[in-house]
Amino acid sequence: MVFSSFAPIAACVLGLSGVSGLSGVAAPQLPASTLQLSLHETTGRLSSVSLTCDPAGGSHPESNAACATLTGVDGDIAHIKPRLQRCTMIYSPVDAAAFGTWHGKPVTFHATFSNKCAADAQTAGVFGF
């Protein structure tokens, strides 16, 4: 009688191991591109986000838009066309850096902008965090 109470559990465990549908579950898609972006302000504040593309994700607040911008320049941040954006004329330099891979090729970028708003505008939002 004791064995009969375990029979349904055993049947479930053994039954699940042979379910053919589980072997067809697709593995999660790995991103084609992964970048680490950082902004270092003269005040000492450091901001950093991750950005993955294809599919878009990471901790970047606007990952879809940033990936679209980078797709337009094949991952070359230096070739991004700046967007029109009003920024203050306050000089508070910020160093922007990026490293990682874009569709298998290495990405390294470093530039100094007059302030965070200029970094955002000059990179069309890639450094807008």
Side-chain angles (χ1 to χ4, degrees), residues 75-111:
D76 189 348
I77 298 170
H79 285 94
I80 294 173
K81 182 180 179 189
R83 70 175 174 208
L84 294 176
Q85 178 175 322
R86 290 180 184 246
C87 293
T88 63
M89 298 291 286
I90 297 172
Y91 184 70
S92 181
V94 61
D95 289 322
F99 67 91
T101 60
W102 182 262
H103 293 276
K105 68 180 180 183
V107 172
T108 304
F109 174 81
H110 181 266

Side-chain angles (χ1 to χ4, degrees), residues 34-39 47-49 51 70 75-78 80 95-101 106-111 113 123 126-127 129:
T34 304
L35 298 172
Q36 188 67 35
L37 309 170
S38 65
L39 289 171
S47 303
S48 182
V49 297
L51 176 65
L70 288 168
D76 189 348
I77 298 170
I80 294 173
D95 289 322
F99 67 91
T101 60
V107 172
T108 304
F109 174 81
H110 181 266
F113 298 97
T123 63
V126 172
F127 283 95
F129 53 89

